[in-house]
Amino acid sequence: MHNQADRPDEKWTEIELLPEWGEQFYDVYTAKKFGKWLMLKTLKPEFKEDPRFKALIEKEFDVRYNLAHPNIVMINDFEDVPGLGRCIITDDVYGDSLRKLIDAGKVTPNHVDKVCTQLVDALDYIQDNHLVHLPVRPETIIFTENIGNLKLIDVGFDQRENLTPADAAEDILSFGKILSEVIGQVPGTPAYLKRVAEKCCNPDPSKRYSSIHELRMALAHRSDNKVYIIIIIFLVVMIGVLLWLSSAWGGTAADPRLDRPGRRQAPQRRGRGGQRLLRGLQAGQRRRIRRLLLRSAPRLRRPRRVRQGSCLRLWRRV
């Protein structure tokens, strides 16, 4: 189960094979480079001398080197490692594969949640970058040892100008198979997750989710139609409120006490901007606003004139 390099030098030490992480054409190792833990990915012994597979691993390095996503293993370098040959060097993501967790019966609701969120995010990123990859499997999904974050270790060996609908349907099918296995390990999972998994695994690709966005909406237990209905209801309510306010302002009768003949009206203090605004309103609205302005305007009184003699008499009294 363990495989130590035959002649490790001071640069590479503690090289160990991880059989459960093996891929179709690759073996995966953990090792220390100058004392820092890293992951190594190299061709299986039966493919090492085949020029086609040598080109394959070089192509994968070129495609994945510039990728950056929190749920996808980062590639750092491509170099020779003693005893292993050419290896893709990645960050250390040591932990348990989803396959190992399923086989050991250790899947928790937290794992289900991260499959429904972080794995979907990783698949969305892969499709946005038009990456061609092998079907996603529980063996290629890793939950890190300390934090438990989801990491995808096999994300593509080629890049195209565009992906076909068949490529997207294949990713959704792979996700459905993984989700079915995961929720089968956790009792009490919501029933809608089972329906999502069944739709993803429909034998007819046209009856699956058409995109990762639609899949994400289904996993969030909502749909675009529900969002549109909520928006329409909100707009209808707002229009009703505006119509009610308009009728309330426009239908209010003027107070007859303010229109009695002989009643002294306070001077109106409105600027030009207020006058232009009032011209655009209905008559009833203008009367109501006018009354509000008159009631709220402060009463200004002119100072009383005092005769000079009165001032002198007041001064003498003091």
Side-chain angles (χ1 to χ4, degrees), residues 75-146:
I75 284 183
N76 298 326
D77 206 349
F78 186 53
E79 61 178 283
D80 286 314
V81 177
L84 299 179
R86 298 290 284 176
C87 295
I88 293 176
I89 315 299
T90 72
D91 289 340
D92 178 35
V93 289
Y94 191 75
D96 294 324
S97 68
L98 182 57
R99 170 57 60 202
K100 184 176 181 180
L101 294 172
I102 292 174
D103 293 343
K106 295 182 178 180
V107 179
T108 66
N110 184 50
H111 294 127
V112 176
D113 180 66
K114 290 185 177 180
V115 166
C116 293
T117 54
Q118 296 182 357
L119 179 58
V120 173
D121 289 342
L123 291 174
D124 192 19
Y125 181 82
I126 288 171
Q127 291 192 3
D128 285 344
N129 286 273
H130 307 154
L131 299 177
V132 181
H133 60 93
L134 297 173
V136 179
R137 301 172 293 118
E139 289 79 4
T140 60
I141 299 172
I142 307 299
F143 288 93
T144 57
E145 185 175 30
N146 296 325

Side-chain angles (χ1 to χ4, degrees), residues 28-309:
V28 179
Y29 294 79
T30 181
K32 280 186 176 181
K33 180 180 180 180
F34 295 123
K36 180 182 177 181
W37 285 105
L38 296 170
M39 307 295 292
L40 310 177
K41 182 177 180 177
T42 187
L43 290 170
K44 291 180 180 292
E46 59 268 29
F47 303 122
K48 284 184 179 296
E49 302 303 323
D50 192 323
R52 296 173 300 172
F53 291 101
K54 287 183 178 180
L56 180 66
I57 192 172
E58 291 178 3
K59 179 69 173 179
E60 179 171 346
F61 171 77
D62 292 337
V63 168
R64 293 181 54 187
Y65 184 71
N66 292 320
L67 299 182
H69 190 274
N71 302 117
I72 293 177
V73 176
M74 296 287 294
I75 284 183
N76 298 326
D77 206 349
F78 186 53
E79 61 178 283
D80 286 314
V81 177
L84 299 179
R86 298 290 284 176
C87 295
I88 293 176
I89 315 299
T90 72
D91 289 340
D92 178 35
V93 289
Y94 191 75
D96 294 324
S97 68
L98 182 57
R99 170 57 60 202
K100 184 176 181 180
L101 294 172
I102 292 174
D103 293 343
K106 295 182 178 180
V107 179
T108 66
N110 184 50
H111 294 127
V112 176
D113 180 66
K114 290 185 177 180
V115 166
C116 293
T117 54
Q118 296 182 357
L119 179 58
V120 173
D121 289 342
L123 291 174
D124 192 19
Y125 181 82
I126 288 171
Q127 291 192 3
D128 285 344
N129 286 273
H130 307 154
L131 299 177
V132 181
H133 60 93
L134 297 173
V136 179
R137 301 172 293 118
E139 289 79 4
T140 60
I141 299 172
I142 307 299
F143 288 93
T144 57
E145 185 175 30
N146 296 325
I147 304 177
N149 282 337
L150 184 148
K151 295 283 186 177
L152 202 55
I153 63 174
D154 185 14
V155 298
F157 54 85
D158 200 359
Q159 195 169 22
R160 298 176 183 167
E161 290 294 329
N162 293 289
L163 293 180
T164 65
D167 295 325
E170 186 68 23
D171 283 341
I172 291 174
L173 174 62
S174 298
F175 176 83
K177 292 179 179 179
I178 293 169
L179 182 60
S180 296
E181 279 199 81
V182 168
I183 62 178
Q185 297 285 319
V186 180
T189 53
Y192 76 90
L193 288 180
K194 184 177 180 181
R195 294 193 296 269
V196 170
E198 290 174 351
K199 186 171 182 177
C200 290
C201 296
N202 195 301
D204 185 357
S206 64
K207 295 181 179 180
R208 301 172 193 162
Y209 295 103
S210 60
S211 65
I212 295 295
H213 170 72
E214 187 179 356
L215 172 61
R216 182 182 283 112
M217 296 291 286
L219 291 169
H221 206 36
R222 63 180 187 268
S223 65
D224 289 336
N225 292 334
K226 292 182 180 179
V227 175
Y228 296 146
I229 291 173
I230 293 172
I231 293 173
I232 291 172
I233 293 174
F234 174 76
L235 292 176
V236 169
V237 171
M238 291 302 298
I239 292 172
V241 171
L242 292 175
L243 291 175
W244 178 80
L245 290 175
S246 177
S247 62
W249 278 70
T252 303
D255 190 348
R257 293 176 299 177
L258 297 178
D259 296 332
R260 287 183 298 181
R263 183 180 176 87
R264 184 178 180 182
Q265 301 286 342
Q268 299 179 3
R269 298 177 177 87
R270 295 190 302 269
R272 294 181 180 178
Q275 293 176 0
R276 287 195 297 269
L277 175 62
L278 290 178
R279 292 193 196 102
L281 299 175
Q282 298 178 2
Q285 294 173 330
R286 291 201 299 270
R287 286 194 296 270
R288 183 175 177 82
I289 294 175
R290 187 183 296 115
R291 290 199 305 272
L292 293 174
L293 291 174
L294 292 176
R295 292 174 182 175
S296 61
R299 294 183 178 181
L300 301 178
R301 297 181 178 179
R302 295 181 180 179
R304 295 181 179 179
R305 295 182 180 180
V306 181
R307 294 180 182 179
Q308 184 176 2

